[in-house]
């Protein structure tokens, strides 16, 4: 079992920055990877960025060169530095943790934190 708690969301103007944090507790030693998803109003939840032991760091094209994902060495914390924010970055951001071997991963979600980009 892993518990995830996000923080750092809020209101930012277009072009501004926010830094999201995710604190993980529980069986973090078995982490295969962690990531950030977001869900805009009326849209499906989508991947933003992830870090995995096997594949390293991945960003979706929409946030590449603007967002930076990082994690603590012990997988007990995950961060997302968001720069040059755009209105389309608005949504609820969720931290996710994948636990176990790649052949039998278990997925855990945080409760989400609201990010609003508006002038």
């Amino acid at each position: 079992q892993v518990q995830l708690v996000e923080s750092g969301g809020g209101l930012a103007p277009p072009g501004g920055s926010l830094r999201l944090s995710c604190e993980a507790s529980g069986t973090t030693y078995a982490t295969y990877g962690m990531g950030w998803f977001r869900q805009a109003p009326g849209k499906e939840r989508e991947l933003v960025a992830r870090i995995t032991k096997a594949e390293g760091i991945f960003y979706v094209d929409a946030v590449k060169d603007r967002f930076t994902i990082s994690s603590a060495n012990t997988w007990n914390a995950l961060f997302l530095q968001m720069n040059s924010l755009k209105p389309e970055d608005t949504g609820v951001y969720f931290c996710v943790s994948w636990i176990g071997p790649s052949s039998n991963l278990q997925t855990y979600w945080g409760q989400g934190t609201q990010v609003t980009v508006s002038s």
Side-chain angles (χ1 to χ4, degrees):
Q1 290 273 349
V2 171
Q3 295 77 42
L4 303 170
V5 179
E6 301 100 332
S7 61
L11 175 65
S17 298
L18 286 172
R19 179 176 171 86
L20 305 184
S21 298
C22 174
E23 181 178 342
S25 59
T27 56
T28 59
Y29 61 85
T31 300
Y32 176 83
M34 297 184 75
W36 290 98
F37 281 68
R38 68 185 179 190
Q39 187 166 18
K43 295 188 177 181
E44 293 187 355
R45 193 173 299 188
E46 63 178 3
L47 175 68
V48 174
R50 65 172 183 248
I51 302 177
T52 64
K53 291 180 179 178
E55 301 169 344
I57 294 177
F58 170 81
Y59 299 99
V60 296
D61 287 345
V63 307
K64 204 172 291 185
D65 299 324
R66 298 189 298 122
F67 290 9
T68 302
I69 189 171
S70 60
S71 67
N73 290 335
T74 55
W75 296 105
N76 60 2
L78 185 72
F79 307 97
L80 186 69
Q81 178 65 44
M82 304 187 295
N83 298 329
S84 302
L85 284 164
K86 303 176 181 181
E88 51 264 43
D89 294 319
T90 294
V92 179
Y93 283 68
F94 297 90
C95 176
V96 62
S97 179
W98 295 286
I99 303 298
S102 58
S103 58
N104 188 27
L105 289 174
Q106 296 182 351
T107 303
Y108 295 89
W109 295 90
Q111 82 287 350
T113 185
Q114 177 71 44
V115 170
T116 303
V117 183
S118 174
S119 55

